[in-house]
Amino acid sequence: SGIILSSGNIASVIGPNVGDATTTDNSLPGDTALDSLIPGYTTYDATILEFDFECATVQNITFTYVFASEEYNEYVNSAYNDVFGFFVNGVNIALLPSSLTPVAINNVNCNNPFAPPTGANCNLYLNNDLSDGGGAIDTEMDGLTLVFTATTPVNPGVNHIKLAIADAGDHVLDSDVFILC
C-alpha cells in the first residue's frame, strides 16, 4: 500500500508488461525544482503532491520508494531523463544510496544498449524491458529502481513536503514513483 505519482496515467502501472512505449501526454508544465536536479533538461507533465505537517517530538522522518519508467532501457543517456524529487523543507532527499545523486533515468540504469553490469548504478536497477529479457515484474514499466529509503531531520513545528515526478525532454513515456507504507 502507499501512494503512486505518475507523469502519465497511474492505470498504466498495472502489469504484466505487454508493450515498450506506454504513454499518456497530459500536456502539463514541468517543475523548476525538478529542472534544477537535472541541469540541461526541461521537465513536462509534472505531478506534484505538496503539504505541510507538524512535528512535536519526532526528529527524523523516513520514507521508502521505488522509481519506475517506460523510458528504460532504450532512452537511457539520451535527450530524455525523467526525474523524481522528494523535497523536505526545500531540500531534495530522493538521492541514490550513499550519494548526493538525484533519482533520474540517466542516474540509475544498466546502459543503452542494456549491458549489465555497465551503466550508472546498475546494481540499483531492475530490468523489466521486454526487448532486453525482462517482463517478469508485474508492472507495465520497463525498468525500476530497488526500494530506496530517504531519511531526513525535521524541524520542531511546521515542515513542508513536496513530492514531484516529471517527464524530461518530452511529454511522453510515463514514469512513476511508488511511495511505500
Side-chain angles (χ1 to χ4, degrees):
S1 64
I3 298 168
I4 300 174
L5 297 178
S6 180
S7 65
N9 181 343
I10 61 170
S12 298
V13 168
I14 299 168
N17 192 352
V18 295
D20 220 17
T22 301
T23 191
T24 300
D25 180 351
N26 292 314
S27 299
L28 296 172
D31 180 75
T32 57
L34 291 176
D35 291 347
S36 72
L37 298 179
I38 48 172
Y41 290 90
T42 301
T43 56
Y44 303 93
D45 282 342
T47 296
I48 299 168
L49 174 63
E50 208 166 359
F51 58 91
D52 291 327
F53 67 99
E54 198 165 334
C55 290
T57 58
V58 175
Q59 295 179 343
N60 294 295
I61 58 170
T62 300
F63 291 90
T64 54
Y65 64 95
V66 172
F67 174 77
S69 183
E70 278 291 277
E71 296 282 357
Y72 290 120
N73 293 315
E74 54 273 74
Y75 296 102
V76 167
N77 299 321
S78 72
Y80 314 105
N81 191 22
D82 296 5
V83 61
F84 167 63
F86 193 135
F87 302 91
V88 177
N89 298 324
V91 176
N92 179 42
I93 63 168
L95 303 170
L96 301 186
S98 304
S99 77
L100 298 176
T101 305
V103 175
I105 297 295
N106 290 344
N107 296 340
V108 183
N109 62 71
C110 289
N111 230 332
N112 177 13
F114 182 70
T118 65
N121 300 291
C122 184
N123 61 315
L124 303 175
Y125 174 73
L126 299 171
N127 176 53
N128 200 43
D129 191 305
L130 297 171
S131 300
D132 294 317
I137 304 167
D138 193 19
T139 179
E140 178 60 42
M141 299 297 101
D142 287 347
L144 52 154
T145 66
L146 299 179
V147 175
F148 291 159
T149 300
T151 300
T152 191
V154 291
N155 302 321
V158 177
N159 292 270
H160 186 77
I161 285 184
K162 174 182 175 179
L163 298 108
I165 189 166
D167 293 327
D170 65 6
H171 285 267
V172 296
L173 297 180
D174 299 352
S175 287
D176 305 282
V177 65
F178 311 97
I179 310 299
L180 310 171
C181 292

